[in-house]
Amino acid sequence: MSQNDVEMIKRIYASFNARDIDAVLAVLSDDVAWANGMDGGHVHGRQAVRDYWTRQWAVISPHVEPVAFEETPDGAIAVEVIQSVFDLDGRPLEGQAHGLKDKTVTHIFRMQGDKIVRFDIRDAH
């Protein structure tokens, strides 16, 4: 795991939290497979990621804070993340029906060159 990859991923989180979609999309491969934390499965391609986040940010305001980085045995980067989900007025959510909840999760980034080709989410152990 290179320091450049870690720094890029930190910038991705900062851009996501600032709602700067274009900054994040710039480091995704054209055919990226991106985990859909709200509905399950994956969305495919940059435009699908843009559509997913646009839809998500219209109903909730998630914030993700990376706290630990680790290289997996197969070369991916696992990031332990504290995920907080708020309503559009900044209040913590209650009784949410979607899959996004306040919790610690692990995000898995698979890289090819300087692009992210796959992003997965798993519950932290």
Side-chain angles (χ1 to χ4, degrees):
M1 162 175 71
S2 79
Q3 191 58 36
N4 285 344
D5 289 345
V6 170
E7 291 305 317
M8 179 189 62
I9 291 171
K10 286 180 180 179
R11 285 191 303 274
I12 288 170
Y13 286 112
S15 296
F16 176 88
N17 289 334
R19 305 300 182 251
D20 184 354
I21 293 176
D22 292 326
V24 179
L25 295 180
V27 297
L28 304 185
S29 69
D30 291 339
D31 59 348
V32 66
W34 194 268
N36 181 330
M38 286 182 69
D39 306 313
H42 288 78
V43 296
H44 298 273
R46 286 186 192 148
Q47 186 59 47
V49 173
R50 178 186 298 279
D51 295 345
Y52 164 60
W53 280 343
T54 301
R55 183 174 59 86
Q56 181 184 98
W57 295 339
V59 295
I60 59 169
S61 182
H63 180 87
V64 286
E65 193 66 40
V67 293
F69 293 80
E70 176 183 337
E71 187 167 354
T72 65
D74 64 355
I77 299 172
V79 184
E80 183 179 340
V81 176
I82 298 171
Q83 169 183 289
S84 303
V85 185
F86 304 93
D87 68 17
L88 297 180
D89 294 320
R91 295 182 302 252
L93 287 183
E94 296 179 12
Q96 50 208 349
H98 51 71
L100 295 175
K101 297 180 176 20
D102 288 0
K103 60 183 174 180
T104 299
V105 295
T106 301
H107 289 170
I108 308 294
F109 293 89
R110 299 195 185 285
M111 314 286 292
Q112 227 170 44
D114 62 350
K115 298 289 186 188
I116 295 167
V117 296
R118 184 175 177 92
F119 168 77
D120 293 292
I121 303 169
R122 71 172 189 235
D123 285 332
H125 300 290

